[in-house]
């Protein structure tokens, strides 16, 4: 069960993801979380650096869908600023939004990476679906809501157990 919380890759930001390696591994689509993954939880639009990165992602043939547990207005405003399809109120880690994203991209789980900042929603949800989870360091943890802060406490316990069992390859 603990292995369901293990990402295949951990990076500090999306900019560190080696897109060539993803493509070589057969990944063709990216399900991207919004808050604290692509931008801070209170940021309303995409900075130029992120827009450039997404342009590079698309130029390499990847399909992208933004999937967020946040409300429609927040996700729609952001997704429109980057020209990406989106799913709001996703209820991650439940499977429904992940399935919908796969349908939107016309890809299989094995062809899809999930990039997110949370073990309990993004990584666990991706692993449940047979997708390729990539964990990023949260951009602005100080802006997180009470529910996410509670999840972070659980994440720290999971990291501690994973570390004790020798399953982690990094320090958190």
């Amino acid at each position: 069960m603990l292995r369901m919380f293990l990402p295949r890759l951990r990076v500090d930001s999306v900019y560190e993801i080696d897109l060539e390696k993803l493509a070589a591994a057969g990944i063709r689509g990216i399900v991207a979380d919004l808050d604290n993954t692509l931008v801070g939880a209170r940021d309303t639009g995409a900075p130029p650096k992120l827009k450039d990165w997404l342009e590079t992602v698309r130029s390499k043939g990847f399909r992208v869908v933004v999937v967020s547990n946040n409300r429609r207005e927040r996700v729609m405003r952001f997704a429109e600023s980057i020209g990406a399809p989106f799913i709001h109120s996703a209820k991650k880690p439940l499977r429904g939004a992940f399935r919908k994203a796969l349908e939107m991209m016309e890809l299989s789980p094995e062809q899809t990476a999930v990039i997110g900042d949370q073990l309990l929603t993004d990584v666990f949800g991706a692993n449940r679906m047979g997708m390729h989870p990539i964990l990023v360091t949260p951009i602005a943890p100080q802006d997180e809501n009470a529910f996410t802060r509670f999840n972070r406490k659980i994440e720290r316990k999971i990291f501690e157990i994973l570390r004790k069992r020798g399953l982690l390859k990094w320090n958190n």
Side-chain angles (χ1 to χ4, degrees):
M1 177 63 178
L2 281 175
R3 292 190 184 275
M4 295 297 282
F5 295 102
L6 282 174
R8 297 217 189 142
L9 176 65
R10 186 198 166 276
V11 294
D12 283 331
S13 78
V14 295
Y15 309 113
E16 294 180 4
I17 297 170
D18 187 332
L19 298 172
E20 304 296 333
K21 280 187 181 177
L22 280 186
I27 303 298
R28 302 291 176 257
I30 295 174
V31 170
D33 176 51
L34 173 56
D35 295 323
N36 275 332
T37 298
L38 295 178
V39 295
R42 293 188 183 171
D43 295 339
T44 56
K49 183 177 180 178
L50 180 63
K51 287 183 179 182
D52 291 345
W53 181 79
L54 286 164
E55 188 174 309
T56 299
V57 167
R58 290 183 185 119
S59 74
K60 293 187 179 296
F62 292 97
R63 299 174 195 154
V64 178
V65 176
V66 175
V67 178
S68 174
N69 285 347
N70 212 323
R71 67 191 190 295
R72 184 179 200 281
E73 298 78 28
R74 160 93 173 124
V75 183
M76 181 177 67
R77 192 175 334 116
F78 178 82
E80 286 177 348
S81 80
I82 62 168
F86 67 94
I87 299 168
H88 65 90
S89 306
K91 299 179 184 170
K92 294 179 291 179
L94 299 179
R95 292 178 174 100
F98 291 111
R99 285 185 182 126
K100 185 175 179 182
L102 290 170
E103 288 172 15
M104 292 167 77
M105 294 186 291
E106 299 179 338
L107 295 171
S108 69
E110 298 79 18
Q111 296 175 297
T112 308
V114 175
I115 304 172
D117 67 301
Q118 292 190 59
L119 285 184
L120 299 179
T121 56
D122 306 306
V123 173
F124 182 60
N127 277 325
R128 289 179 76 205
M129 291 293 298
M131 299 162 107
H132 185 105
I134 299 172
L135 182 66
V136 300
T137 302
I139 294 171
Q142 70 277 5
D143 293 340
E144 293 176 336
N145 63 34
F147 184 74
T148 303
R149 287 193 304 271
F150 178 76
N151 277 353
R152 297 287 184 209
K153 289 179 183 182
I154 296 169
E155 284 181 359
R156 283 192 291 276
K157 293 292 184 188
I158 293 170
F159 278 132
E160 183 180 316
I161 294 167
L162 291 170
R163 196 174 298 109
K164 284 180 181 177
R165 294 197 181 172
L167 298 172
L168 286 186
K169 306 286 190 245
W170 69 86
N171 294 321
N172 267 33

